[in-house]
Amino acid sequence: MDPISSAQNSLSQWGARVRSAWFAWWHVLLLGAQIVVLALSPSSYRHGERRAAVLRNLYLATAPLLTWFLVLSALVSVVLIRIVVATAYSYGLTQYALEVLVRTLVLELIPLYAALFVALRYAMPGAQVVRKKLSDQHRAGGEVNEQALLRGELLPRSLAAVFSVLLLAALSCVVALVLTYLTVYGFSPWGLPAYTRSVGGVFTPAVTLIFTLKTLFFSMAVAVVPLAASAQRDSQGRYSRRSDISEFARLFSVVLLIEVVSLVGNYY
């Protein structure tokens, strides 16, 4: 094969991939902006069938996940707490154990695995359901009404995903803090002043603001990225099934970017 033709083909394929990725991310941003606007307008889902759809999805996104997530969160918290406390005791750094636990477990790990848990158990399966409906409708010859899709399918699922991430993260933080106190001080109430002072020293106004914004952006990423991909046509104009791995990689890249920005804000 002619080297020049081979180089041109390679450049053409690379340009096509870059253009496809650009359009995919632009679609995510555009649809995310529309979902945010509708979410900030309660009149768009306050009455009728849309309100019922939102309430139904709120239940499906939280109730089936709540028990298992809290059990998993408690187990992970106990393991990490024991490791950190035992290590601190062995090196004579017990005064830093609580701060390390709060910073690593509550500030960093819990929002991250709450977002990923909701993404894997609710948002991504829901996105596949939406895409299958669109595929069946397209094969049947029906036209996809983008506004009806946005208000009837994507908005209720997005609101439910945001609510689920925020709720699970908040409850898991409470569980982690309680388990930390019980591990360090036992059931004695005398350690409460020192414990609250140590935890309060970590949650400065700046750290609290960054923690809140990070959790909120995690929930928005989980709510928007999978669903936006489900509503995007492929290169043939159809709604063919997408790879779960590629969709998770796209979501994880957004979550990782948010995490890096929050780490820069907290520690630099």
Side-chain angles (χ1 to χ4, degrees), residues 62-128:
T62 53
L65 310 184
L66 189 59
T67 301
W68 286 110
F69 178 79
L70 291 181
V71 171
L72 176 64
S73 177
L75 290 175
V76 172
S77 299
V78 167
V79 171
L80 290 178
I81 290 167
R82 292 302 303 170
I83 292 174
V84 173
V85 171
T87 304
Y89 282 165
S90 64
Y91 287 98
L93 301 174
T94 54
Q95 68 272 22
Y96 301 111
L98 284 178
E99 182 177 350
V100 171
L101 282 171
V102 173
R103 287 188 178 275
T104 56
L105 186 58
V106 177
L107 292 182
E108 307 300 339
L109 291 181
I110 287 178
L112 181 60
Y113 68 70
L116 295 180
F117 190 86
V118 174
L120 292 174
R121 295 296 302 273
Y122 175 77
M124 293 181 64
Q128 292 291 356

Side-chain angles (χ1 to χ4, degrees), residues 10 18 25 42 66 83 86 89 98 108 110 119 121 130 144 158 160 170 192 262:
S10 299
V18 171
W25 282 112
L66 189 59
I83 292 174
Y89 282 165
L98 284 178
E108 307 300 339
I110 287 178
R121 295 296 302 273
V130 172
V144 176
S158 297
L192 194 58
S262 71

Side-chain angles (χ1 to χ4, degrees), residues 51-264:
R51 180 175 182 270
V54 170
L55 294 176
R56 182 174 62 254
N57 280 279
L58 287 176
Y59 174 81
L60 293 175
T62 53
L65 310 184
L66 189 59
T67 301
W68 286 110
F69 178 79
L70 291 181
V71 171
L72 176 64
S73 177
L75 290 175
V76 172
S77 299
V78 167
V79 171
L80 290 178
I81 290 167
R82 292 302 303 170
I83 292 174
V84 173
V85 171
T87 304
Y89 282 165
S90 64
Y91 287 98
L93 301 174
T94 54
Q95 68 272 22
Y96 301 111
L98 284 178
E99 182 177 350
V100 171
L101 282 171
V102 173
R103 287 188 178 275
T104 56
L105 186 58
V106 177
L107 292 182
E108 307 300 339
L109 291 181
I110 287 178
L112 181 60
Y113 68 70
L116 295 180
F117 190 86
V118 174
L120 292 174
R121 295 296 302 273
Y122 175 77
M124 293 181 64
Q128 292 291 356
V129 171
V130 172
R131 192 163 184 84
K132 187 177 185 304
K133 288 182 180 179
L134 294 175
S135 179
D136 294 341
Q137 184 178 352
H138 182 74
R139 280 200 294 266
E143 291 294 329
V144 176
N145 188 325
E146 294 185 359
Q147 286 301 314
L149 172 65
L150 180 63
R151 295 172 181 268
E153 291 285 350
L154 303 185
L155 180 61
R157 295 178 185 274
S158 297
L159 292 173
V162 170
F163 177 79
S164 181
V165 173
L166 296 178
L167 178 64
L168 294 183
L171 293 177
S172 185
C173 288
V174 173
V175 170
L177 291 173
V178 171
L179 290 175
T180 301
Y181 179 86
L182 294 178
T183 302
V184 176
Y185 297 102
F187 292 94
S188 172
W190 305 113
L192 194 58
Y195 179 73
T196 54
R197 185 167 58 252
S198 298
V199 173
V202 175
F203 281 95
T204 62
V207 170
T208 304
L209 177 62
I210 293 173
F211 170 73
T212 304
L213 291 177
K214 178 177 72 172
T215 308
L216 178 61
F217 283 126
F218 276 173
S219 66
M220 293 174 64
V222 170
V224 170
V225 175
L227 290 171
S230 71
Q232 185 181 17
R233 297 176 184 265
D234 56 23
S235 57
Q236 286 78 34
R238 298 192 296 267
Y239 295 94
S240 58
R241 181 178 174 83
R242 293 176 178 265
S243 170
D244 291 334
I245 299 298
S246 62
E247 295 305 316
F248 180 77
R250 178 184 299 182
L251 173 61
F252 187 74
S253 64
V254 177
V255 171
L256 184 61
L257 177 62
I258 297 171
E259 179 66 26
V260 170
V261 172
S262 71
L263 288 174
V264 171

